[in-house]
Amino acid sequence: MKEPINFMLVGVGGQGTLLAANILAEVGLLAGYDVKKSEIHGMAQRGGSVSSHVRWGEQVFSPMAGKGEVDILLGFEMVEALRHIEFLRQGGRAILSTHQIPPVAVTSGGAEYPSQARFIGVVEQVTKDYLLVPAVEIAQQLGNARAHNLVMLGALSVFLPVEEDIWLQVTPRHVPAKAREVNLEAFRRGRALAGQARKR
């Protein structure tokens, strides 16, 4: 029996959070899971919060996991990860981009963006099993910052019982033809980074 896995992907509008969720859902289907997915867009077109639940299991009845039920939190932006950390179960896994997109409350001077130390402090109240990923920096090195979501999926893939070939089969179907190679390389870079971190 395949172990059920509850994922939550969170980010800001325009970061490719939903595209990543679509890839993750299709990978789960090809790996033989029953899969359900949900999306919450908020003000996505204006840089607002975006989140998606993806659930893999033998038989999944609901597309959403409750607070404290998510096994793996994939955070594409630091504040958004903090806003949703309560969904992660105690001791769950968090794969977190170090990218920062200050919200309006910060840019208008009404609030302060949390330091990375404070960010880590909050995450560690829930889990010590987390990986920080400089996803945007890696994607920029490849010449396309938009591919950072594939860096994150590559990092995630290391921790899942799915062959790499399935990811490489699914990903090209979800990205523009002209950007396929950079997205696949972004996936490989994220996978390599997480693989090295896992060995330590």
Side-chain angles (χ1 to χ4, degrees):
M1 177 178 287
K2 294 177 181 292
E3 288 294 320
I5 309 176
N6 296 324
F7 305 91
M8 188 171 192
L9 298 82
V10 300
V12 170
Q15 285 196 288
T17 306
L18 300 181
L19 185 145
N22 290 339
I23 292 173
L24 180 60
E26 189 172 339
V27 165
L29 287 171
L30 287 184
Y33 289 91
D34 184 26
V35 175
K36 295 286 187 300
K37 180 172 75 74
S38 70
E39 302 172 354
I40 300 174
H41 296 221
M43 296 290 284
Q45 297 301 319
R46 298 184 180 181
S49 180
V50 177
S51 64
S52 179
H53 289 257
V54 179
R55 303 186 70 204
W56 293 3
E58 287 290 324
Q59 191 169 18
V60 180
F61 296 100
S62 169
M64 297 182 69
K67 292 178 180 176
E69 296 179 349
V70 167
D71 299 298
I72 302 180
L73 177 67
L74 200 65
F76 293 85
E77 198 278 332
M78 286 174 53
V79 163
E80 288 305 316
L82 291 184
R83 283 164 42 91
H84 296 86
I85 194 73
E86 63 187 342
F87 281 88
L88 186 64
R89 65 172 170 78
Q90 284 289 327
R93 175 169 288 127
I95 300 173
L96 307 166
S97 171
T98 55
H99 191 53
Q100 301 179 3
I101 302 176
V104 173
V106 171
T107 57
S108 65
E112 185 175 333
Y113 199 93
S115 66
Q116 187 160 313
R118 183 178 172 200
F119 171 75
I120 291 172
V122 174
V123 171
E124 288 188 341
Q125 291 176 23
V126 181
T127 184
K128 299 289 193 291
D129 187 359
Y130 63 90
L131 175 66
L132 300 179
V133 182
V136 171
E137 289 82 351
I138 292 171
Q140 286 174 333
Q141 291 168 9
L142 298 174
N144 187 342
R146 294 171 61 95
H148 72 102
N149 55 350
L150 266 298
V151 176
M152 295 294 290
L153 285 181
L156 169 66
S157 71
V158 169
F159 302 101
L160 300 177
V162 177
E163 295 295 324
E164 182 180 7
D165 286 350
I166 293 181
W167 293 91
L168 298 179
Q169 178 183 345
V170 170
T171 297
R173 292 202 284 261
H174 292 267
V175 298
K178 64 181 181 183
R180 281 177 186 158
E181 283 309 311
V182 72
N183 277 280
L184 289 173
E185 182 59 23
F187 175 85
R188 294 187 187 100
R189 294 284 185 95
R191 188 172 170 88
L193 183 147
Q196 291 167 3
R198 196 177 191 186
K199 292 176 182 174
R200 290 199 287 265

